[in-house]
């Protein structure tokens, strides 16, 4: 008999676990959207959204998922026929490129593969070759949710600056915001894309775009932008409805207020980063142990190139798929699919999985996932090295 009675656990890289107090904050009747509590509360949300991205510039809120936030960024940055340079380090880099191309933006892609991070000097080389400055922006994911690759954003900014090229730097931080260290202003980011359902601990439904004053000026002449997606009234408007292009996402805003309070005022942003770093190290230690003498491997070999919010790994010969199915059916734990590593109809699709450790996650949640994964490997006869749980526990204790 399965032992799934009790609370199930979704260990996928988004939607992440929402704290009870965030859900409780959302569990209420709709407020007056013209004056009073919701209007006053939102005035405090804007500076706190800037705090979580460490920027003093501008932010726009959209009723959308991460794909919608991509679209908002693209429409405000580009005009028809403009060109972007995109550094892809996994499926979501390709997804951003596909979205831009569908809008009429020409995209030059540097594909760094599925298991490595972007090389800043190759980005610089492409910009130096663009002597007419047709490239309007460099697009890159901070952490690609599919590959778990984490790109060195300050190094990419320095590479852009070394060329003297005027291109903006646009960063997809959907998987890293509120998980990995991220400093928009210090790192020279012009456009930052985020969403509610990962490090911000909310259900899906809100997309965010932070944009520099430089990007604001560019958007004033962008001819792709449409009234709903225009970030100017959302970021600089004077009336409440302008923040949202109409009716506010009222219940998400109540949840967002609670989540930002937890992150910024109670735990503290740098402590949040450190928690994610330690939990990620625990997961990596377990996989390193499982991999000794077996074919189990982390997708990103270099620990400094891995994001702190998600771990991508391979268990060959269909082991990853079999383990995912066993965990969900027998232990009440859901792991993420190996997105972008192979097509669903290909046998290799079953060789990959992802473990999400983002947002409202602590030691016992992470160790619980690893313990049930160990049980599943034993039940399924998947060859693995010993000592994973001891290694994971030890990694949590090290600073």
């Amino acid at each position: 008999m399965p032992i799934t009675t009790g609370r199930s656990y979704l260990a996928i890289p988004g939607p992440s676990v929402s704290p009870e107090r965030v859900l409780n904050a959302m569990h209420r009747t709709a407020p007056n959207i013209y004056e009073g509590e919701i209007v006053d509360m939102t005035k405090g949300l804007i500076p706190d959204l800037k705090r979580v991205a460490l920027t003093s510039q501008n932010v726009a809120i959209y009723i959308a998922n991460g794909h919608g936030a991509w679209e908002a960024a693209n429409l405000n940055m580009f005009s028809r026929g403009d060109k972007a340079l995109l550094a892809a380090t996994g499926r979501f880099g390709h997804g951003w490129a596909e979205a831009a191309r569908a809008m009429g933006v020409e995209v030059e892609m540097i594909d760094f593969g599925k298991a490595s991070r972007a090389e800043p000097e190759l980005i610089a080389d492409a910009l130096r070759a663009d002597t007419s400055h047709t490239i309007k922006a460099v697009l890159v994911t901070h952490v690609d949710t599919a590959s778990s690759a984490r790109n060195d954003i300050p190094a990419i900014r320095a590479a852009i600056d070394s060329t003297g090229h005027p291109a903006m730097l646009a960063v997809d931080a959907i998987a890293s915001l509120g998980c990995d260290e991220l400093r928009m202003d210090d790192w020279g980011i012009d456009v930052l894309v985020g969403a509610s359902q990962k490090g911000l601990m909310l259900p899906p439904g809100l997309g965010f775009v932070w944009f520099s004053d430089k990007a604001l000026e560019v958007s004033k002449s962008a001819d792709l932008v449409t009234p709903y997606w225009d970030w100017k009234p959302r970021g600089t408007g004077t009336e409440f409805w302008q923040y949202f292009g109409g009716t506010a996402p009222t219940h998400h805003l109540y949840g967002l207020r609670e989540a930002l309070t937890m992150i910024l005022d109670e735990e503290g942003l740098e402590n949040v980063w450190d928690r994610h770093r330690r939990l990620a190290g625990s997961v990596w230690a377990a996989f390193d142990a499982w991999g000794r003498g077996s074919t189990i491997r982390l997708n990103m070999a270099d620990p400094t190139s891995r994001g702190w919010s998600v771990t991508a790994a391979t268990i060959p010969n269909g082991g990853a798929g079999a383990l995912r199915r066993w965990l969900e059916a027998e232990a009440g734990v859901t792991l993420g699919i190996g997105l972008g590593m192979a097509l669903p109809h290909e046998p290799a699709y079953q060789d990959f999985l992802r473990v999400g450790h983002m947002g409202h996650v602590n030691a016992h949640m992470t160790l619980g996932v690893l313990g049930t994964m160990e049980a599943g490997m034993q039940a399924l006869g998947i060859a693995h090295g010993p000592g994973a749980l001891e290694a994971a526990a030890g990694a949590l204790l090290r600073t």
Side-chain angles (χ1 to χ4, degrees):
M1 292 290 292
I3 48 175
T4 54
T5 300
R7 179 170 294 180
S8 61
Y9 183 57
L10 196 63
I12 66 175
S16 66
V17 177
S18 292
E20 291 294 333
R21 53 189 284 192
V22 169
L23 296 176
N24 288 339
M26 300 174 70
H27 188 70
R28 58 191 301 151
T29 58
N32 183 351
I33 61 170
Y34 302 107
E35 60 184 2
E37 179 185 73
I38 191 76
V39 176
D40 295 338
M41 185 186 70
T42 301
K43 292 176 183 177
L45 283 176
I46 301 305
D48 280 354
L49 282 170
K50 295 179 183 181
R51 286 173 65 196
V52 82
L54 291 178
T55 183
S56 61
Q57 300 188 79
N58 312 284
V59 63
I61 304 171
Y62 294 91
I63 304 173
N65 56 20
H67 289 72
W70 276 347
E71 188 152 327
N74 292 339
L75 292 172
N76 282 279
M77 284 191 292
F78 300 115
S79 294
R80 290 167 180 80
D82 277 353
K83 184 176 181 179
L85 175 67
L86 188 139
T89 55
R91 181 67 192 92
F92 285 89
H94 287 269
W96 198 358
E98 291 162 4
R101 286 174 177 145
M103 298 174 198
V105 177
E106 180 185 350
V107 179
E108 176 183 344
M109 179 185 291
I110 308 176
D111 189 352
F112 292 96
K114 301 174 182 178
S116 64
R117 65 179 178 181
E119 298 178 32
E121 193 54 36
L122 294 183
I123 295 172
D125 288 344
L127 292 175
R128 290 189 188 100
D130 180 35
T131 56
S132 59
H133 294 171
T134 58
I135 294 171
K136 303 303 180 185
V138 175
L139 314 183
V140 63
T141 54
H142 185 201
V143 173
D144 192 292
T145 324
S147 67
S148 73
R150 181 178 63 187
N151 288 304
D152 188 340
I153 302 303
I156 292 173
R157 176 75 265 177
I160 295 170
D161 291 345
S162 73
T163 68
H165 198 289
M168 295 181 292
L169 173 59
V171 175
D172 172 348
I174 293 168
S176 61
L177 182 74
C179 302
D180 286 76
E181 181 176 0
L182 176 62
R183 302 177 183 273
M184 179 175 171
D185 286 358
D186 288 351
W187 293 0
I189 299 170
D190 292 295
V191 176
L192 188 71
V193 176
S196 60
Q197 70 268 23
K198 298 185 187 289
L200 294 185
M201 308 184 296
L202 285 161
L206 293 182
F208 307 97
V209 183
W210 293 260
F211 53 100
S212 68
D213 293 335
K214 175 182 177 179
L216 176 60
E217 286 303 310
V218 169
S219 71
K220 291 176 181 178
S221 59
D223 67 17
L224 281 176
V225 71
T226 56
Y228 182 80
W229 296 106
D230 190 352
W231 66 28
K232 292 186 289 296
R234 292 172 184 264
T236 63
T238 57
E239 297 183 44
F240 180 69
W241 69 270
Q242 292 178 304
Y243 287 130
F244 313 106
T247 303
T250 51
H251 293 70
H252 273 75
L253 294 179
Y254 284 116
L256 179 61
R257 173 65 277 158
E258 195 71 18
L260 290 176
T261 296
M262 293 173 70
I263 292 169
L264 298 171
D265 300 326
E266 296 179 1
E267 187 172 5
L269 185 57
E270 292 196 1
N271 292 327
V272 170
W273 296 340
D274 187 63
R275 172 168 54 84
H276 281 87
R277 177 187 64 82
R278 293 171 64 189
L279 293 173
S282 179
V283 175
W284 303 343
F287 271 98
D288 286 343
W290 285 328
R292 294 188 190 103
S294 81
T295 55
I296 297 173
R297 293 290 181 271
L298 289 166
N299 186 56
M300 300 297 298
D302 178 7
T304 65
S305 299
R306 299 175 193 153
W308 295 342
S309 58
V310 55
T311 294
T314 179
I315 305 178
N317 302 314
L323 182 60
R324 286 193 300 102
R325 291 189 293 273
W326 188 93
L327 285 170
E328 190 155 23
E330 302 293 330
V333 174
T334 303
L335 299 180
I337 62 172
L339 192 62
M341 297 300 177
L343 295 175
H345 67 272
E346 296 174 336
Y349 183 77
Q350 300 298 331
D351 294 349
F352 301 94
L353 57 74
R354 293 173 297 157
V355 181
H357 33 88
M358 56 174 61
H360 188 58
V361 181
N362 61 22
H364 82 75
M365 297 161 84
T366 300
L367 291 175
V369 170
L370 297 174
T372 53
M373 290 178 70
E374 174 94 20
M377 290 181 196
Q378 292 180 18
L380 295 169
I382 296 173
H384 60 283
L389 300 185
E390 293 86 348
L396 278 175
L397 299 177
R398 293 190 290 273
T399 58

